[in-house]
Amino acid sequence: MTQSSKTLSEIEAAVIEGVQDSAGQQGTLTSTSNFVQSGLLDSFAILSLIMQLEQQFAIKFTIDELTNTELQTVSGMAQAIADKLAQNALN
């Protein structure tokens, strides 16, 4: 399966795994988990997570996109990745 054909739930699972790896712990994360407000990730870990996901899915976020608070939740980050994959598939 190509990255562009990943389902949203598969992308959410990858985001959860990335957050857990960046946090250095296994915890209960759901699609609505906010890993910033919960204090699970600090600013360095968030940047590391974003770089990891960009590499994993062959996407790139712009500076403006990174300021979107929806990227602080598992579902928001997964949706942004899905949108980028769909956009890349059209190009």
Side-chain angles (χ1 to χ4, degrees):
M1 181 179 291
T2 65
Q3 294 294 356
S4 61
S5 63
K6 293 271 188 190
T7 66
L8 190 57
S9 62
E10 290 172 319
I11 297 170
E12 282 184 359
V15 172
I16 288 171
E17 183 179 331
V19 170
Q20 289 173 331
D21 287 348
S22 294
Q25 66 184 34
Q26 299 297 311
T28 303
L29 289 173
T30 66
S31 63
T32 59
S33 295
N34 186 313
F35 44 85
V36 175
Q37 287 180 349
S38 68
L40 192 58
L41 299 180
D42 62 17
S43 58
F44 181 76
I46 293 167
L47 288 175
S48 178
L49 170 66
I50 289 169
M51 290 179 355
Q52 173 191 341
L53 293 170
E54 285 179 330
Q55 183 176 23
Q56 181 177 353
F57 290 101
I59 59 170
K60 199 74 173 157
F61 288 106
T62 66
I63 297 295
D64 289 337
E65 290 169 329
L66 294 176
T67 61
N68 184 347
T69 56
E70 289 187 19
L71 294 183
Q72 297 176 4
T73 65
V74 171
S75 62
M77 179 70 78
Q79 186 61 59
I81 292 169
D83 291 347
K84 286 212 164 276
L85 291 174
Q87 182 181 20
N88 289 349
L90 294 175
N91 293 333

